């Protein structure tokens, strides 16, 4: 047992945090049109690549840290600074990137991984569909073998990075199993919908995809893989990202509320001196620290005992994402009028927080699965 | 970072589980209903080595590290041992014996620790008073130096093991002018003239633990019964917080695992609307929340234990967070466990009813949730 990070880990984590804090101070990374969003992302990748941040979990060679726990802690640093950039970077690097590494990756795929790790390309993962929750319905996106290639047709909704991605990992059916089709942005038959506006994550580019007999060569197909194994793995990785996102939201909104409560005076004293405020901060910090340990332990378990990690990650995901909404809401309350103005950390976190409970595996389905595990059903 | 227990630690946990299931759990319900202390189980815990687990072997202990000690507490809860017995164990081993061990002279250690580690003697700790609970420094029990003795006057309240204790660590003011710095600690043995415990209080939960007042009326103890130094009593009381936030919280973690299993078994067997109730999502939701709580609580408790093993001073912020979280969050899940059992859950027949009552102490005993929030908000 050991509850400390190593000196090397601590140094790296501080480096990521400081570098990105300095970088993000110079500009507003949390809004803009598509071209601004693309620039923010490519600029951020250019800042993160030299730190080798993008290599963690993707490449053994040159990665500054190893293991899912260290990855979680590294992601937490970035998510605490810029939520949209964080999600964008991670959906590309850690979700799209890790999919590329599945099942004996071809040289082609490894080349894309190298480019992801150096921040030269942007990836997106297209899984959800209109009857989106893959829990209930089989995927409607299907590949049909035609000669040496596969014709993929279907429609995908809510694809993070969709409007700015160079590559898409499109998840669909193949031979009654599940496969991931690697599709380039200019592929004939691929269309993007308008950018989708959302409640939070203003600096994120999201759209839907249409696929009309998009021809995919064999070497750009990952799988077919047994469906539940494939989806469980993808959702595990996505949930890990969402957990780190929740930690970041809690950090930024807690710190904003704490600093305000210590400096803003009312009735002749800083508002933290009132139990209604001070106790809220205590509850927030309790949720934040408990979430942090939860996240680390679930990440550790992913390497230690992958079977056990599935349910534990769901537990962590439910806890952390619900805690994030609670902490952001309390922070907003403490910051009061100041907090309600657009652009503050708490207001932003409050709007972003809900996403964590919806995406990946929704908290409802997660609870059903955790309950099933308790009943010995999974 | 690494959350793994050693093989030996896990093996020991299994042994404690096996021991508790066989030797203690069969008598839990009977003692809870009778509000009776289970002397037999307590002595067996002594024989097994649990009561003195962390003390050095030369004092009758097992020399275990803190994480192992906390694992044993978790195992007791997980086996289904009631909160009354685990509280009695906590008050005896950590609040009383450990305070004696840490701050006592060699003669005091030799006199008390082996007897307490074996369970031959039972110990208690008297800090709270009728009018000084959260605000400990306002205590009014006094200890006046008279020649080679101290004379104690006052009343302690809510003292776990009070009616059955052979020895008590008692906090009293040696200087009424001072707040915390005026508090000193004393050892008072059963039968000392002027010292009498009150009758056991009738409680909602943790009923097998015996709780009472300790009344001191011109109770004269020899000066060598002063524990440590005059004026340092509050420090000693605070030292127990490390145990309070790890070993005393560990049974709550364990009992959550136990409760989850009981609830899952019930949900599989109970049929309504033609299906086992476990098939309903609302029931799975409750099971999920139990697991989610239990896993969160576990990590908080072991963080404190591990830091103590490293010889680090207690991090008061982390300790208060663990206490606050477990105290407040345990209520909803134990409540859910009762609801999940429907009307049966409301009867003494089912463990969940007792667990619900026992757990209600979590946000009160050892410093209320509000006090934890006060501590955290000061340290933020
Ligand atoms: C901003 C944003 C970005 C996204 N990015 C991506 C992306 O990059 N790639 C991608 O593939 N997807 C993405 N998604 C999709 C996301 O994963 C889905 O929204 C999510 O899986 C939930 O599906 P849904 O919205 O269809 O809800 P539904 O499945 O329709 O669910 C509606 C409600 O019913 C509940 N429910 C559904 N089924 C059950 C059940 N069996 N038991 C109990 N309750 C149930 C749900 O929990 C929810 O509360 C994104 C979504 C958003 C909003
Ligand atoms: C079963 C049981 C066993 C116990 N065992 C022992 C033992 O072995 N030894 C021992 O010394 N003590 C023991 N205690 C005492 C326990 O530690 C106290 O009950 C506890 O510290 C609370 O004190 P109190 O009951 O006097 O409540 P009070 O301090 O009177 O508090 C009443 C309420 O007011 C709140 N409150 C108090 N001050 C503030 C404030 N400043 N701001 C906001 N809210 C506040 C509290 O949180 C609580 O909700 C035991 C108690 C019980 C019930």
């Amino acid at each position: 047992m050991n509850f400390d990070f190593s000196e090397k880990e601590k140094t790296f984590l501080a480096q990521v945090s400081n570098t990105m804090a300095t970088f993000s101070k110079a500009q507003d990374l949390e809004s803009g049109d598509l071209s601004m969003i693309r620039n923010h992302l490519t600029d951020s990748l250019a800042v993160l690549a030299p730190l080798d941040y993008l290599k963690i979990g993707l490449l053994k060679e040159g990665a500054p840290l190893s293991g899912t726990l260290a990855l979680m802690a590294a992601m937490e640093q970035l998510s605490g600074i810029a939520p949209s950039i964080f999600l964008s970077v991670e959906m590309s690097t850690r979700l799209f990137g890790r999919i590329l590494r599945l099942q004996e990756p071809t040289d082609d795929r490894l080349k894309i991984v190298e480019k992801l790790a150096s921040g030269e390309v942007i990836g997106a993962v297209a899984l959800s569909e209109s009857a989106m929750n893959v829990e209930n319905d089989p995927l409607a996106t299907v590949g049909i073998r035609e000669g040496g290639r596969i014709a993929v047709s279907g429609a995908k909704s809510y694809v993070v990075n969709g409007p700015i991605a160079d590559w898409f990992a499109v998840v669909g059916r193949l031979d009654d199993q599940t496969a991931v089709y690697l599709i380039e942005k200019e592929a004939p038959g691929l269309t993007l919908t308008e950018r989708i506006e959302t409640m939070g994550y203003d600096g994120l580019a999201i759209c839907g995809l249409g696929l009309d007999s998009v021809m995919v060569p064999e070497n750009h197909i990952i799988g077919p893989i047994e469906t539940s194994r494939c989806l469980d793995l993808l959702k595990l990785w996505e949930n890990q990202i969402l957990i780190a996102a929740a930690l970041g939201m809690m950090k930024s909104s807690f710190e904003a509320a704490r600093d305000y409560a210590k400096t803003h005076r009312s009735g002749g004293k800083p508002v933290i001196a009132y139990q209604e405020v001070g106790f809220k901060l205590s509850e927030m910090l309790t949720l934040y620290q408990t979430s942090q340990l939860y996240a680390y332990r679930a990440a550790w378990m992913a390497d230690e005992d992958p079977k056990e990690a599935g349910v534990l990650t769901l537990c962590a995901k439910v806890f952390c994402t619900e805690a994030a909404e609670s902490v952001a809401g309390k922070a907003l309350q403490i910051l009061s009028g100041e907090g309600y103005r657009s652009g503050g950390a708490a207001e932003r976190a409050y709007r972003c927080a809900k996403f964590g409970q919806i995406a990946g595996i929704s908290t409802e389905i997660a609870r059903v699965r955790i309950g099933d595990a308790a009943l010995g059903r999974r | 970072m690494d959350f793994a227990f050693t093989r030996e630690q896990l093996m020991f946990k299994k042994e404690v589980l096996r021991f508790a299931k066989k030797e203690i759990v069969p008598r839990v319900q009977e003692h809870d209903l009778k509000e009776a202390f289970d002397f037999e189980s307590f002595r067996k815990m002594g024989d097994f080595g649990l009561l003195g687990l962390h003390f050095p072997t030369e004092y009758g202990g097992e020399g275990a590290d803190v994480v192992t000690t906390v694992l044993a507490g978790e195992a007791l809860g997980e086996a289904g041992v009631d909160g009354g017995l685990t509280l009695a164990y906590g008050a005896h081993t950590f609040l009383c014996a450990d305070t004696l061990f840490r701050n006592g002279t060699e003669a005091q250690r030799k006199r008390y620790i082996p007897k307490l580690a074996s369970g031959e003697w039972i110990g208690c700790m008297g800090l709270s008073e009728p009018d000084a609970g959260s605000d400990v420094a306002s205590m009014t029990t006094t200890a006046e130096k008279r020649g080679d003795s101290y004379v104690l006057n006052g009343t302690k309240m809510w003292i776990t093991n009070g009616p059955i204790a052979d020895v008590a660590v008692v906090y009293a003011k040696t200087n009424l002018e001072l707040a915390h710095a005026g508090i000193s600690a004393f050892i008072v043995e059963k039968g000392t003239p002027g010292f009498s415990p009150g009758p056991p209080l009738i409680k909602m939960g943790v009923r097998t633990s015996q709780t009472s007042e300790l009344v001191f009326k011109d109770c004269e103890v020899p000066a060598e019964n002063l524990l440590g130094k005059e004026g340092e009593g509050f420090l000693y009381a605070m030292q127990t917080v490390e145990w309070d936030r790890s070993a005393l919280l560990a049974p709550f973690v364990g009992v959550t695992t136990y409760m989850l299993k009981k609830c899952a078994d019930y949900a599989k067997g109970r049929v309504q609307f033609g299906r086992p109730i476990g098939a309903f999502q609302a029931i799975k939701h409750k099971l999920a929340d139990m697991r989610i709580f239990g896993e969160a609580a576990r990590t908080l408790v072991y963080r404190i234990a591990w830091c103590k093993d490293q010889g680090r001073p207690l991090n008061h912020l982390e300790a208060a967070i663990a206490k606050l979280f477990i105290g407040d969050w345990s209520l909803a899940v134990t409540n859910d466990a009762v609801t999940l059992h429907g009307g049966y859950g409301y009867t003494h027949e089912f463990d969940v009813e007792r667990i619900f009552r026992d757990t209600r102490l979590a946000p009160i005993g050892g410093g209320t949730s509000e006090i934890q929030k006060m501590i955290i908000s000061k340290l933020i």
Side-chain angles (χ1 to χ4, degrees):
Chain A
M1 198 166 261
N2 184 352
F3 278 78
D4 287 339
F5 285 111
S6 68
E7 285 310 313
K8 186 181 163 208
E9 286 167 335
K10 281 191 222 161
T11 308
F12 178 77
L13 298 177
Q15 202 183 2
V16 172
S17 178
N18 295 337
T19 310
M20 281 309 289
T22 311
F23 171 69
S24 73
K25 260 205 193 100
Q27 57 207 304
D28 174 17
L29 296 174
E30 287 302 317
S31 61
D33 58 19
L34 280 180
S35 77
M36 277 172 84
I37 288 175
R38 187 199 304 273
N39 288 342
H40 287 154
L41 179 59
T42 48
D43 291 352
S44 300
L45 291 170
V47 171
L48 290 164
L51 300 177
D52 289 332
Y53 173 91
L54 304 172
K55 290 183 179 162
I56 309 171
L58 268 198
L59 296 175
K60 281 211 173 78
E61 201 108 313
L65 308 177
S66 65
T68 310
L69 199 168
L71 170 62
M72 179 63 76
M75 290 197 294
E76 180 189 1
Q77 307 307 313
L78 183 56
S79 77
I81 289 166
S84 299
I85 289 292
F86 166 75
L87 209 58
S88 208
V89 167
E90 297 307 330
M91 292 302 248
S92 171
T93 314
R94 244 65 69 167
L95 188 62
F96 175 77
R98 287 205 273 186
I99 290 173
L100 291 181
R101 300 216 52 137
L102 281 172
Q103 291 206 322
E104 305 263 321
T106 56
D107 286 349
D108 240 25
R109 278 199 258 151
L110 287 177
K111 270 192 200 123
I112 304 175
V113 171
E114 297 274 351
K115 285 189 175 169
L116 279 173
S118 56
E120 291 166 63
V121 295
I122 298 167
V125 177
L127 171 61
S128 305
E129 300 185 348
S130 67
M132 259 183 313
N133 226 309
V134 288
E135 184 78 6
N136 303 332
D137 306 295
L139 290 169
T141 300
V142 186
I144 295 171
R145 294 186 189 275
E146 281 183 16
R149 298 195 298 171
I150 311 260
V152 182
S153 298
K156 294 287 179 182
S157 333
Y158 300 105
V159 180
V160 168
N161 292 342
I164 55 172
D166 302 299
W167 284 94
F168 294 91
V170 177
V171 187
R173 279 188 292 146
L174 179 66
D175 304 339
D176 287 333
Q177 289 190 310
T178 296
V180 183
Y181 304 104
L182 208 50
I183 297 173
E184 234 171 323
K185 66 176 174 191
E186 289 94 5
L190 176 71
T191 49
L192 310 187
T193 68
E194 289 286 294
R195 179 185 174 197
I196 297 169
E197 302 279 345
T198 51
M199 169 183 177
Y201 286 109
D202 302 332
L204 203 58
I206 307 172
C207 70
L209 300 186
L211 299 112
D212 184 10
S213 293
V214 178
M215 301 308 289
V216 182
E218 282 279 2
N219 66 340
H220 281 178
I221 293 168
I222 303 162
I225 308 171
E226 196 265 311
T227 299
S228 65
R229 198 173 81 79
C230 177
L231 297 183
D232 283 354
L233 193 57
L234 265 50
K235 292 288 178 182
L236 174 80
W237 291 337
E238 192 179 353
N239 285 337
Q240 286 169 346
I241 294 169
L242 296 168
I243 289 169
L247 296 184
M249 281 172 221
M250 282 187 262
K251 178 176 192 292
S252 58
S253 49
F254 169 75
E255 287 176 354
R258 177 201 59 196
D259 295 349
Y260 184 78
K262 282 184 171 182
T263 51
H264 179 72
R265 298 174 75 84
S266 175
K269 49 186 176 182
V271 293
I272 194 172
Y274 296 104
Q275 288 189 345
E276 280 292 322
V277 174
F279 283 20
K280 260 194 200 73
L281 283 164
S282 306
E283 291 161 12
M284 290 156 66
L285 187 60
T286 298
L287 284 176
Y288 173 36
Q289 283 208 0
T290 307
S291 298
Q292 233 178 355
L293 284 179
Y294 222 139
Y296 296 159
R297 184 153 160 264
W300 169 82
M301 193 66 90
D303 298 335
E304 192 73 7
D305 182 351
K307 224 173 136 216
E308 185 60 21
V311 176
L312 193 64
T313 305
L314 290 178
C315 289
K317 200 255 182 181
V318 172
F319 187 85
C320 296
T321 57
E322 290 184 348
E325 186 184 351
S326 169
V327 168
K330 287 188 167 88
L332 199 55
Q333 191 67 23
I334 290 171
L335 287 152
S336 296
E338 188 65 26
Y340 199 67
R341 289 169 63 165
S342 297
E347 181 263 353
R348 185 189 302 138
Y350 191 65
R351 286 185 295 108
C352 291
K354 206 73 208 167
F355 174 68
Q357 297 165 31
I358 297 168
I361 291 184
S362 72
T363 43
E364 287 77 15
I365 293 175
R367 277 199 170 88
V368 169
R369 289 202 182 179
I370 300 163
D372 276 336
L375 293 163
R377 294 212 182 137
R378 268 182 100 103
Chain B
M1 241 183 220
D2 176 7
F3 296 93
F5 296 104
T6 63
R7 239 171 67 85
E8 291 72 31
Q9 285 169 336
L10 290 174
M11 269 164 52
F12 182 68
K13 183 186 175 194
K14 265 195 188 147
E15 277 176 43
V16 177
L17 263 172
R18 207 175 307 127
F19 157 77
K21 278 184 187 164
K22 181 160 175 263
E23 305 289 348
I24 303 178
V25 174
R27 281 191 306 280
V28 161
Q29 192 189 39
E30 177 200 338
H31 285 84
D32 175 61
L33 293 182
K34 285 202 287 200
E35 294 194 60
F37 184 68
D38 184 356
F39 285 97
E40 189 183 332
S41 289
F42 196 76
R43 298 269 140 77
K44 281 183 176 167
M45 284 168 75
D47 293 344
F48 188 85
L50 284 176
L51 299 179
L53 201 55
H54 72 287
F55 294 121
T57 47
E58 62 265 37
Y59 298 96
E62 306 287 326
D65 58 37
V66 181
V67 169
T68 304
T69 307
V70 170
L71 257 179
E74 185 183 346
L76 291 175
E78 195 173 324
V81 175
D82 65 293
L85 189 59
T86 54
L87 175 64
Y89 154 59
H92 166 93
T93 296
F94 304 108
L95 308 187
C96 175
D98 191 74
T99 309
L100 283 168
F101 180 76
R102 271 205 206 210
N103 308 298
T105 60
E106 194 50 28
Q108 288 168 335
R109 286 177 167 192
K110 286 250 160 69
R111 176 166 171 76
Y112 297 109
I113 303 304
K115 286 197 184 98
L116 291 169
S118 68
E120 182 188 341
W121 275 25
I122 295 175
C124 73
M125 183 280 287
L127 178 66
S128 308
E129 297 187 356
D131 294 321
S134 302
D135 181 15
V136 176
S138 69
M139 69 170 60
T140 55
T141 298
T142 53
E144 194 189 326
K145 185 93 189 268
R146 282 192 209 152
D148 281 346
S149 312
Y150 284 94
V151 178
L152 274 69
N153 275 294
T155 301
K156 293 290 163 184
M157 185 63 174
W158 313 116
I159 309 310
T160 301
N161 297 340
I164 53 172
D166 300 283
V167 60
V169 169
V170 178
Y171 295 92
K173 283 259 169 97
T174 40
N175 185 343
L176 271 174
E177 314 266 288
L178 300 173
H180 299 96
I183 299 173
S184 305
F186 296 90
I187 306 168
V188 184
E189 291 186 18
K190 182 166 113 182
T192 306
F195 165 45
S196 56
L201 300 167
I202 298 168
K203 309 187 299 296
M204 165 186 185
V206 293
R207 282 151 59 115
T208 72
S209 67
Q210 306 294 291
T211 319
S212 72
E213 290 181 332
L214 302 180
V215 182
F216 301 91
K217 276 195 188 137
D218 291 326
C219 169
E220 190 172 332
V221 295
E224 63 257 29
N225 281 26
L226 171 73
L227 190 57
K229 294 199 183 114
E230 257 196 34
E232 289 192 355
F234 186 73
L235 286 179
Y236 306 158
M238 286 304 103
Q239 285 167 353
T240 64
V241 171
E242 286 175 298
W243 288 113
D244 209 282
R245 308 302 183 245
S246 53
L248 270 88
L249 289 180
F252 289 103
V253 177
V255 93
T256 307
T257 311
Y258 176 75
M259 181 175 75
L260 175 58
K261 168 128 193 11
K262 288 274 160 182
C263 288
D265 288 346
Y266 186 80
K268 281 192 260 187
R270 174 73 178 167
V271 175
Q272 289 293 288
F273 297 96
R275 318 159 70 182
I277 59 166
F280 300 116
Q281 289 193 345
I283 297 293
K284 293 182 194 178
H285 186 115
K286 289 182 173 48
L287 298 173
D289 282 350
M290 288 173 209
R291 172 90 193 260
I292 290 166
F293 163 74
E295 298 291 354
R298 175 172 291 118
T299 321
L300 289 170
V301 164
Y302 286 103
R303 173 167 69 174
I304 293 166
W306 179 81
C307 287
K308 186 164 164 55
D309 269 334
Q310 307 314 300
R312 294 183 191 170
L314 177 70
N315 181 322
H316 287 279
L317 184 72
E318 292 175 358
I321 281 174
K323 176 69 170 61
L324 175 62
F325 180 78
I326 294 175
D328 278 5
W329 282 63
S330 59
L331 299 184
V333 292
T334 49
N335 191 31
D336 276 352
V338 172
T339 309
L340 185 146
H341 281 71
Y344 296 100
Y346 198 65
T347 69
H348 289 316
E349 275 306 295
F350 286 80
D351 284 330
V352 289
E353 182 264 354
R354 177 185 47 72
I355 293 171
F356 173 74
R357 288 185 285 105
D358 286 354
T359 304
R360 195 58 192 82
L361 182 64
I364 300 173
T368 66
S369 290
E370 288 71 25
I371 297 307
Q372 305 317 311
K373 288 181 195 175
M374 262 171 65
I375 295 169
I376 298 168
S377 64
K378 282 200 184 117
L379 293 172
I380 278 172

